[in-house]
Each structure stands twice: as C-alpha cells, then as structure tokens.
C-alpha cells in the first residue's frame, strides 16, 4: 500500500510515544530519545532500506527530520541504529502493535491463521555459522474481521502445531474477543474447551465428513466462519507491501522485525494514500 510518507512518520511518532509511555523520552543508544529510534526503525522497514541507506536518506529528507526533531548533523550513525534494534526488547514492538491496532474499530470478532516468512536468504551466513537448518519462520496472526487490524502476532522457529500456538494468541487477547474463526488446523477439544473457558466462542471447522462434522460446520458458517479469510488478507498485505522474507540474522531480531512489519501495516491503514 502506497501512503504519504510524511503522514506515516507523523502517525508512527504519535503511536511510538503511546507505546513507550513514560519511557518514550528516555535516552537510548547514542543519547537519542527512545521514540526516535522506534520511528526510524519503522521508516527503515517501510522504505525497505538497510541501516546505512536509512541514515543516508534521513540526511537529505528535511521534512522527516523535522518530525523526528533532528538536525542534519544529529542523524545517528548506522551502527547506533543497529545496536538500538538489538537492545529494544520485544515488549516495545508488541506494545506498538497493540497501540496501532487500537486505532481501528474493535469489533470483538477475530480470525486466526498461520503463515510463513522466509529467513534462509537473509540469514544464510548466520545459519551456516551456527549449524542451523531452520529456513522458515512460522507466524500465527489474530486479525479483527471488521477493521482488518492485526491484533496480535506469535512467531515460532520450531513450527508448533496450530492447536498449540492458537490458544496462546487467543489467551492474551481474550478480554477483547467474542468469537474466533479458524480453519480445522486449530481444531481439537483442548483448544475449544480453553476458548469457552475464556468466554470466547470458537468458530473452527471440524475435520472429516461425518454427519456430526457436516452439521457443526454448517452452523459455524452461519455464525461468521466465512470471515476467516480476513486473516489471510492481513498477512498477504504484509508480504505484498514489505516482502515475505526477514532481513535480520538472529532469530530474536527476526521475531521483532516480523511484529514491527504487522504494526507498520496497521499504521499504513491510518495514513493518507497516494
């Protein structure tokens, strides 16, 4: 999605300050306020630049620097940005994702699905040195079916079954949910029991073609199961806009990058289109 870049950075600034709360103005690597680092990382992924390219672009983009409250001589070195992305904990990016989702209408009806992001190309050297073979990251997303805002993301390097990752995501967001739609990969009685115990109605297709499964699936479709495709739309938007591969070389940075990518898509929906 092509958006007005200045509007994007202004939105990102407001939401980064909300996400960081009282920590927003605290200095991070290089002495710059934390919110400035968060916004620059969002700008970096939105424009698909490397750390070096990001610094170079900022030196010649006066309007963006004005939003960031930076003079040309104050633009941080690329090594400073690299270190700050390494040092910011996952809670920062999850808070940003949550705040960005809250800017959209919250219907209480969500869709659950899993997708995969490639890490083999970006991390080939790291994988070779560390003697690892994981080339794909599994990502489970929870998407509001009305606003298409991504409410939560769970990343995995070991590919747990959907019946394990699904309840984990729903559990974190249960207070804001009424129903959750998902395909039969998320279906087992343990998951359904937990969803009902959290007061969340599971709209999950049953496996097989028995009379019981067919009747249950027909009832589930009437209650809103067909909105499950919204989850596919959300991560499809991420892959079309920001790519289907991560650039970071270590798994914990890759997890942060994926969460940031979904936050960016939420923010793009708030911005003026080109």
């Amino acid at each position: 999605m092509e958006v007005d870049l200045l509007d994007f950075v202004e939105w990102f600034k407001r939401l980064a300050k909300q996400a960081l709360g009282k920590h927003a103005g605290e200095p991070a690597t290089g002495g710059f306020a934390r919110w400035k680092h968060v916004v620059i990382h969002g700008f970096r992924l939105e424009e698909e630049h490397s750390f070096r390219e990001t610094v170079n672009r900022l030196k010649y983009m006066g309007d963006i620097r004005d939003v960031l409250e930076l003079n040309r001589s104050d633009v941080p070195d690329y090594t400073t940005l690299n270190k700050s992305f390494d040092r910011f904990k996952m809670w920062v990016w999850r808070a940003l994702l949550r705040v960005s989702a809250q800017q959209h209408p919250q219907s209480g009806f969500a869709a659950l699905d899993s997708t995969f992001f490639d890490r083999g190309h970006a991390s080939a050297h790291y994988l070779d040195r560390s003697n690892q073979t994981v080339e794909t990251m599994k990502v489970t997303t929870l998407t509001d079916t009305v606003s298409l805002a991504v409410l939560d993301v769970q990343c995995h390097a070991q590919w747990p079954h959907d019946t394990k990752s699904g309840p984990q995501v729903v559990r974190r967001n249960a207070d804001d949910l009424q129903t959750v739609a998902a395909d039969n990969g998320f279906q087992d009685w343990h998951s359904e029991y937990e969803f009902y115990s959290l007061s969340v109605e599971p709209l999950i297709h049953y496996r097989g073609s028995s009379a019981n499964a067919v009747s249950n699936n027909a009832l589930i479709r009437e209650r809103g199961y067909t909105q499950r495709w919204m989850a596919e739309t959300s991560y499809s938007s991420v892959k079309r806009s920001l790519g289907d591969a991560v650039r970071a070389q270590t798994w914990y940075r890759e997890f942060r990058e994926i969460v940031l990518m979904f936050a960016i898509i939420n923010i793009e929906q708030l911005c003026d289109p080109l």
Side-chain angles (χ1 to χ4, degrees), residues 7 65 73 94 122 214:
D7 190 38
R65 290 202 313 274
S73 58
R94 285 200 175 280
V214 171

Side-chain angles (χ1 to χ4, degrees), residues 61-81:
M61 301 178 77
D63 290 341
I64 301 296
R65 290 202 313 274
D66 288 344
V67 176
L68 291 169
E69 302 174 20
L70 291 174
N71 295 320
R72 192 173 189 274
S73 58
D74 293 334
V75 175
D77 188 76
Y78 75 94
T79 57
T80 300
L81 295 179

Side-chain angles (χ1 to χ4, degrees), residues 117-135:
F117 283 81
D118 178 59
R119 73 185 295 239
H121 177 70
S123 309
H125 180 57
Y126 171 75
L127 290 172
D128 198 42
R129 286 189 298 113
S130 58
N131 195 30
Q132 296 184 24
T133 58
V134 179
E135 295 189 1

Side-chain angles (χ1 to χ4, degrees), residues 2 10-11 32 81 114 131 136 154 180 189 197 219 247 273:
E2 294 185 349
E10 289 174 342
W11 266 107
F32 295 97
L81 295 179
S114 294
N131 195 30
T136 307
Q154 184 68 33
V180 172
W189 74 269
S197 70
L219 183 60
R247 304 171 184 82

Side-chain angles (χ1 to χ4, degrees), residues 153-165:
V153 174
Q154 184 68 33
C155 306
H156 300 278
Q158 299 300 324
W159 297 15
H161 196 273
D162 286 338
T163 54
K164 303 298 182 183
S165 59

Side-chain angles (χ1 to χ4, degrees), residues 112 114 138 160-167 182-192 195 202-218 220-221 225:
L112 194 64
S114 294
K138 183 177 181 179
H161 196 273
D162 286 338
T163 54
K164 303 298 182 183
S165 59
D183 62 29
N184 58 22
F186 292 88
Q187 194 273 324
D188 71 353
W189 74 269
H190 294 283
S191 299
E192 290 189 11
F195 290 169
L203 304 179
I204 303 176
H205 251 208
Y206 283 74
R207 300 182 183 90
S209 56
S210 65
N212 185 49
V214 171
S215 60
N216 278 323
N217 290 343
I220 287 170
R221 283 194 293 272
Y225 170 80

Side-chain angles (χ1 to χ4, degrees), residues 4-12 14 267 270-273:
D4 183 288
L5 186 58
L6 186 61
D7 190 38
F8 172 83
V9 175
E10 289 174 342
W11 266 107
F12 218 104
R14 289 194 290 271
I267 296 173
L270 302 169
C271 300
D272 295 331

